[in-house]
Amino acid sequence: MSVSMHAASVPVFTQMLNSLANLLAKAEQYATEKKFEPAVLLQSRLFPDMFPLTRQVQIACDFGKGVAGRLADVELPAYADDEQTFADLQARISKTLAFIQGLDAAAFEGSEQRLIVLRPGTPKERSLHGQAYLFAYGLPQFFFHMTAVYALLRHNGVVVGKGDFMGVY
């Protein structure tokens, strides 16, 4: 039995982006309960050369929309990366979910062989067929940034566990 590229991507991104929204809601509640500025969490890092939590969320959303959109061969929406609050990040997650859930499953047909060109016209240009793009690049990148968000929240005392990370499946 084969699994479609749509089934291997959109439901996974949907599940995890919903869990990301729930993780951020718990983080915001934690900041409120502990009476500190939410920016403390939003700008937290595990190490100085690491992106802060806000950027990790932005990148996770970008991989969700980018991977699914490229596999469906549609134009990707551009996001400004100007989120400053938990509400801003929740809005970004919502518009990412709306985009990927609005993709037609039929558009993914044959995408396992579709050539995906990353960073076209730059010295870092790289071409991958859709299956390798999803499984060897897109999903690992997405989960890296999801895990960074989870680790940042746990490191800062937000009470979350594996069930929160996994979300509803």
Side-chain angles (χ1 to χ4, degrees), residues 45-164:
R45 302 168 191 253
L46 291 175
F47 197 76
D49 69 352
M50 180 180 183
F51 286 131
L53 184 130
T54 296
R55 188 72 185 122
Q56 300 290 350
V57 172
Q58 292 167 339
I59 295 170
C61 288
D62 288 348
F63 272 99
K65 74 174 168 119
V67 172
R70 286 184 188 95
L71 291 173
D73 200 24
V74 299
E75 186 173 340
L76 302 178
Y79 298 165
D81 294 337
D82 59 0
E83 292 82 11
Q84 299 286 318
T85 66
F86 280 110
D88 294 340
L89 292 173
Q90 292 288 7
R92 186 180 184 119
I93 294 166
S94 292
K95 67 184 174 182
T96 302
L97 283 165
F99 172 73
I100 66 173
Q101 290 172 338
L103 296 170
D104 183 2
F108 287 75
E109 291 178 18
S111 66
E112 60 277 351
Q113 293 303 317
R114 183 175 297 132
L115 192 63
I116 308 290
V117 181
L118 303 172
R119 299 179 181 156
T122 72
K124 292 185 176 184
E125 181 174 314
R126 179 135 187 223
S127 299
L128 297 163
H129 286 99
Q131 186 170 335
Y133 171 65
L134 175 62
F135 294 116
Y137 179 78
L139 287 173
Q141 290 278 358
F142 176 76
F143 278 106
F144 174 87
H145 294 285
M146 285 290 303
T147 302
V149 169
Y150 176 82
L152 283 162
L153 296 179
R154 285 288 292 160
H155 175 75
N156 282 284
V158 180
V159 181
V160 292
K162 184 166 64 168
D164 298 298

